Amino acid sequence: MQIVSTIKDVKAVVKKWKEEGHTIGFVPTMGFLHEGHGSLITAAREANEKVVVSIFVNPMQFGPNEDFDSYPHDLERDSKICENLGVDLIFHPTPEEMYPQDFFTYVDMSVLTEELCGLNREGHFRGVCTVVNKLFNITQPDRAYFGEKDAQQLAIIKQMVKDLCMNVEVIDCPTVREEDGLAKSSRNTYLSPEDRGAALIVSDTISLGESLVKEGETNAEKLIAAMETHLKTEPKAKIEYVKVVDGETLQPISTIRPGVLVAIAVHIGKTRLIDNFSVRKL
Amino acid sequence: MQIVSTIKDVKAVVKKWKEEGHTIGFVPTMGFLHEGHGSLITAAREANEKVVVSIFVNPMQFGPNEDFDSYPHDLERDSKICENLGVDLIFHPTPEEMYPQDFFTYVDMSVLTEELCGLNREGHFRGVCTVVNKLFNITQPDRAYFGEKDAQQLAIIKQMVKDLCMNVEVIDCPTVREEDGLAKSSRNTYLSPEDRGAALIVSDTISLGESLVKEGETNAEKLIAAMETHLKTEPKAKIEYVKVVDGETLQPISTIRPGVLVAIAVHIGKTRLIDNFSVRKL
């Protein structure tokens, strides 16, 4: 496994691979890898001859009051995980390598970015679109892997690839959870032991929502009310949103049907947690 | 020569060419081809095994009061020109093919888009960046060819390719002029015979500017004043701007040096004309 930090070095490796006719799977990450990332890497490993993982905490997708400076990192640990999972190349650039002083371009999107997390994280998805677009151009993958936990990000990346006719297939992978149900996230490390207990309300509420839909609830307003009521049973939980939206356009809908995304964002102490489920069938 | 109108068809041809190991040169146009486009196609023909020309009047780069509806077109004539110049593939999509109803993504840029034509054509360069980005992804060229006449567009495309690490080399080609000096442009067809005479002031002023720099003028303010004075000798000319800027960042500069771009925009009757020269050496 190689670890490189410059765009030029990645492009040289990728060029060689392309000339040799290899397929490339790509997993973009912000590092501090957990089993969620592991599942993406494993999926990439199974379907492609070469696997690239990027580890880059992207400053452009963090707001001024967000956790860019405190975001956890451990390159040595991440490298071991990648090596064990059969990764061929880690791309670990500096912010200056990705955004030199004379960097002026951005990729953004209307509609999908204006709902859910977009309401409280202004500019977040512009940062995501820009960095992912750039990483796709650098690594030129046949397939790129994203987790369903970040459902809005996944929908936005798919939309960008479709709109700009990018030559990559976006593969979504199921959310990986702790034994008690909490969705895996690098941000879970922020949780104090007490907050970690309280955080369970998030995945519990997702389970509740899934059950209600399975039992026949098709009224989005009623589902939201039930999920909000359940979230409020945890005094430490501060609701940011509970939303029922179209899974592709992310626009609010009133009647639940297959293809609908039910997404929540909740603050537990200083930690912001998101979770969701998709309605596959009624 | 093939003429196709769907993205899918272009991608199929390009995929085959790539598999056969061919290099691809790409010339994006809005059609109504003239010798300026011809010089781009010829340059592409000389350096690449396959040449793709796109003909697409891009609605996204026209403002509400601009000439989208009246922009000239003649696909039959354009096809003959392309065939004679050895083009392999014309891509001629509909607006709906390029921008379906659920199209939400855009590519844009700060700094370079905020000067010169960007001041009076809001959203123009967002349209240019978005369509060129998409066309690059569709045609996947090794090299793409742009005219120096649209100097700001050229600088912006180069910046986009650099910032997003796109896998294409941008080649700039010299402005092609009529015998009397007027820069070739599809928009010259808008000029009445009388306006066509008056339009000569534009290229004349560029010649004057070049002479003054050659004679030793290094003060941008003085150069601008001399060029504006000259433009005002033509009663039909309405100056939009005369600017001296850095050729890469397009930011105004006060002392002329190699790498500087001198650009003008002038209205003759209802026709907006632009022209420019670059300072190569002092």
Side-chain angles (χ1 to χ4, degrees):
Chain A
M1 187 183 74
Q2 283 185 74
I3 306 181
V4 304
S5 58
T6 70
I7 293 164
K8 203 175 139 232
D9 284 347
V10 181
K11 284 212 175 187
V13 173
V14 166
K15 187 166 183 277
K16 191 168 155 283
W17 286 347
K18 295 261 172 195
E19 282 165 6
E20 293 168 355
H22 294 305
T23 54
I24 298 172
F26 175 51
V27 182
T29 82
M30 300 211 297
F32 213 73
L33 305 180
H34 51 65
E35 288 84 347
H37 302 107
S39 74
L40 305 179
I41 296 171
T42 300
R45 182 68 287 164
E46 282 167 6
N48 304 276
E49 287 155 44
K50 300 291 179 183
V51 174
V52 182
V53 171
S54 65
I55 296 178
F56 179 58
V57 183
N58 174 31
M60 197 175 169
Q61 73 189 63
F62 286 79
N65 298 315
E66 293 184 0
D67 56 345
F68 176 68
D69 289 327
S70 57
Y71 200 86
H73 56 95
D74 187 341
L75 183 61
E76 204 176 318
R77 185 172 151 278
D78 288 346
S79 302
K80 276 181 200 148
I81 292 171
C82 286
E83 182 117 54
N84 287 339
L85 292 170
V87 169
D88 298 286
L89 180 72
I90 291 178
F91 177 41
H92 180 248
T94 61
E96 294 71 30
E97 174 72 5
M98 290 294 280
Y99 304 116
Q101 236 188 329
D102 62 346
F103 184 97
F104 303 126
T105 307
Y106 54 88
V107 184
D108 207 344
M109 190 179 297
S110 60
V111 181
L112 285 79
T113 58
E114 290 154 15
E115 296 291 333
L116 307 175
C117 298
L119 290 169
N120 286 291
R121 301 192 72 187
E122 209 203 312
H124 170 66
F125 289 113
R126 171 180 291 196
V128 170
C129 285
T130 304
V131 80
V132 171
N133 188 295
K134 181 163 176 148
L135 288 168
F136 282 175
N137 288 333
I138 294 168
T139 60
Q140 299 165 67
D142 297 275
R143 295 172 199 89
Y145 297 79
F146 292 85
E148 288 173 356
K149 194 211 132 211
D150 298 319
Q152 184 171 19
Q153 170 178 278
L154 176 62
I156 285 171
I157 299 298
K158 282 185 173 177
Q159 181 76 35
M160 176 181 76
V161 165
K162 180 167 74 99
D163 283 350
L164 296 180
C165 302
M166 300 190 83
N167 298 288
V168 55
E169 188 185 350
V170 176
I171 314 272
D172 36 325
C173 299
T175 301
V176 176
R177 297 180 179 279
E178 305 286 352
E179 272 192 32
D180 62 6
L182 183 69
K184 297 255 184 192
S185 166
S186 305
R187 288 191 169 98
N188 291 351
T189 55
Y190 297 156
L191 294 164
S192 67
E194 200 187 333
D195 286 349
R196 175 65 183 79
L200 250 192
I201 194 70
V202 177
S203 49
D204 262 13
T205 302
I206 290 297
S207 296
L208 169 71
E210 281 189 290
S211 302
L212 290 172
V213 171
K214 203 173 283 177
E215 288 159 18
E217 183 59 79
T218 58
N219 183 311
E221 222 172 291
K222 283 187 188 164
L223 180 70
I224 291 168
M227 290 172 72
E228 286 186 345
T229 301
H230 190 64
L231 280 169
K232 284 174 188 159
T233 62
E234 170 52 60
K236 280 176 151 280
K238 211 184 118 213
I239 301 173
E240 186 179 307
Y241 64 74
V242 177
K243 293 260 174 110
V244 178
V245 298
D246 178 88
E248 285 185 10
T249 65
L250 307 183
Q251 298 308 291
I253 58 104
S254 52
T255 304
I256 293 163
R257 48 166 173 70
V260 152
L261 173 73
V262 181
I264 67 179
V266 178
H267 294 256
I268 305 287
K270 285 182 179 171
T271 308
R272 183 178 180 278
L273 299 171
I274 57 174
D275 206 341
N276 68 81
F277 70 96
S278 288
V279 180
R280 316 279 175 188
K281 55 176 184 179
L282 287 188
Chain B
M1 186 183 75
Q2 276 181 271
I3 306 180
V4 303
S5 59
T6 69
I7 293 163
K8 200 173 142 234
D9 284 346
V10 181
K11 284 211 175 187
V13 173
V14 166
K15 186 165 183 275
K16 191 168 154 283
W17 286 347
K18 295 260 172 196
E19 282 166 5
E20 292 167 357
H22 295 306
T23 55
I24 300 172
F26 175 51
V27 182
T29 83
M30 300 211 297
F32 214 72
L33 305 180
H34 51 64
E35 289 82 347
H37 301 108
S39 75
L40 305 180
I41 296 171
T42 301
R45 182 68 286 164
E46 281 167 6
N48 304 276
E49 287 155 44
K50 300 291 181 185
V51 174
V52 182
V53 171
S54 66
I55 296 178
F56 179 58
V57 184
N58 174 33
M60 197 175 169
Q61 72 189 63
F62 285 80
N65 298 314
E66 293 184 0
D67 58 343
F68 176 69
D69 288 326
S70 57
Y71 200 86
H73 56 95
D74 186 342
L75 182 61
E76 205 176 317
R77 186 173 151 277
D78 288 346
S79 302
K80 277 181 199 147
I81 293 172
C82 286
E83 182 115 53
N84 288 337
L85 291 170
V87 169
D88 297 286
L89 180 72
I90 291 178
F91 176 43
H92 180 247
T94 60
E96 294 71 33
E97 174 73 5
M98 289 295 279
Y99 303 116
Q101 236 188 330
D102 61 345
F103 184 96
F104 303 127
T105 306
Y106 54 89
V107 184
D108 206 345
M109 191 180 295
S110 60
V111 182
L112 284 80
T113 57
E114 291 154 16
E115 296 290 334
L116 307 176
C117 297
L119 290 169
N120 286 290
R121 301 192 72 187
E122 210 204 311
H124 170 65
F125 290 112
R126 172 182 290 196
V128 170
C129 285
T130 304
V131 80
V132 172
N133 188 295
K134 180 161 177 151
L135 287 169
F136 282 176
N137 287 333
I138 294 168
T139 60
Q140 301 167 66
D142 297 275
R143 296 173 199 87
Y145 297 79
F146 293 84
E148 288 173 358
K149 196 212 130 212
D150 297 319
Q152 185 172 18
Q153 170 178 278
L154 176 61
I156 285 171
I157 299 299
K158 282 185 174 177
Q159 182 76 35
M160 176 182 75
V161 166
K162 181 167 72 100
D163 283 352
L164 296 181
C165 301
M166 300 189 84
N167 299 287
V168 54
E169 187 184 352
V170 176
I171 313 273
D172 35 326
C173 300
T175 301
V176 176
R177 297 180 180 279
E178 304 287 352
E179 270 192 30
D180 63 5
L182 184 69
K184 297 254 186 192
S185 166
S186 305
R187 288 191 169 100
N188 291 351
T189 55
Y190 297 156
L191 295 164
S192 68
E194 201 188 333
D195 286 350
R196 175 64 183 79
L200 214 51
I201 194 68
V202 177
S203 48
D204 263 13
T205 302
I206 290 298
S207 296
L208 170 71
E210 280 189 289
S211 301
L212 290 172
V213 171
K214 205 174 280 178
E215 287 160 16
E217 185 59 78
T218 57
N219 183 310
E221 223 172 291
K222 284 187 187 164
L223 180 71
I224 291 168
M227 291 173 71
E228 286 186 342
T229 302
H230 189 65
L231 281 170
K232 285 174 188 161
T233 62
E234 170 51 60
K236 280 176 152 279
K238 212 185 120 211
I239 301 173
E240 185 178 309
Y241 64 74
V242 176
K243 293 263 174 105
V244 178
V245 300
D246 178 89
E248 285 185 9
T249 65
L250 306 183
Q251 298 308 290
I253 59 103
S254 52
T255 304
I256 294 163
R257 48 165 176 70
V260 153
L261 172 73
V262 181
I264 68 180
V266 179
H267 294 256
I268 306 286
K270 284 184 179 171
T271 308
R272 184 178 179 276
L273 300 171
I274 57 172
D275 205 343
N276 69 81
F277 70 95
S278 288
V279 180
R280 315 277 176 188
K281 56 177 184 177
L282 288 186

